[in-house]
Amino acid sequence: MPIVLFYENAPAGAAARIESGLATVLDHYPELAGRIGRDEQGRHCIHLNNEGAIFVEVVCSSELAPFLDKRGNDVKDLVGSSTLELGDGMNRVPLIIQVTRFACGGLALSWEGHHRVCDGSAHTQFLLNWASAARTGSLTPGFVPLIHDRSFLSPRDPPVVEDPLVEFVHKPMSRTTVPGQEVLTLTENLTSKQISHLKSLCGNKYTTYETLSAHFWRCMTAARDFEDRSTLVGHFCPANGRSILNAPPGFFGNAIYHTFVQTSAADLLDGSLEHAAGLIRQAVKRASNRVFLESVIDYLALEQAGEDDRPPQAEAKDQSWIPNVMIPCWSRFPLYEVDFGFGDPFRFSTVNVGIEGVFTIGPPRKDGITEVLINVRKEHAQSLLAHLGN
């Protein structure tokens, strides 16, 4: 998932400072300086070959302002992978950086980090350490030594899948291919007052994520307007397994897994927002235990063994979650605290990766606005905006 941070009034030499900080911090992140591929036995792996991250610097003759309200394909020129030939799936670059300087002095910083290497929690800690290295020339005194050992994620012997939901959720995450369907990226800006109102509709009993994801799930289902109201609609809920697995402090890797909740379109739309939030809470509770997560690890190990035996496949494009949604939450990621020495970013964006039905809940801005980035089919966009209240 490419992320773009926007900065105002970056000084001359800002790109060189960012690049120098990257060189410093990558000494502690060998996975991000390596390549994703396969080993001699054909197994997926990360080659710690120190080939380095990709760093692209661009000078743009236009102003920054026109880019701020753009989303999706309109900002694809701000990410490095849009212009680079990066080879096939056997030698994938795990980290691509692009710095774009604008005529007004503004700056856009994009990074693309591969999920096979690390999850959002690990990647945002990398960003903060990178920014610190750029500001000071070294890592902060409070830097926690990184743990690269993934042994606590090892499957049991023999692997055992104890919850049938695990296989349903992860095979293959229920995405379908819909060629020819244009996917737009919309932005929903929610004030703290609006969020409080939505939570009050749920009796103030549910978390912000449970409330917002219930709201978006219902709005997208209404916008899709299923002729058969008995159609089963689902919600994939990402969860962080670090605490359940007692991951060591400083662990750098991926501990994200998913749970799933499903009901009929009629039940979801005819029921209340509180009812939908309750369904999501039940799903999260079902998956928030060691038995479920160990089953996830065992199942993925079994699936990985089969994938290792297959030749590399091109990534599918024009994917859709219909009739489901996927709603990741970045609200706790400190994206607005990534200071390279010329202030915090004031906006963030993402690039349309062509997967319909994804709602990304961003961290609150300093003005209290929570931005939600939404990938939706063009044919459903106006209806969705209407159901969101825009």
Side-chain angles (χ1 to χ4, degrees), residues 11 21 106 128 151 205 235 263 266 351 357:
L128 294 176
S151 59
K205 296 187 297 185
H235 175 357
T263 188
V351 176

Side-chain angles (χ1 to χ4, degrees), residues 29 128 213 252 327:
Y29 292 88
L128 294 176
S213 59
F252 182 75
I327 308 182

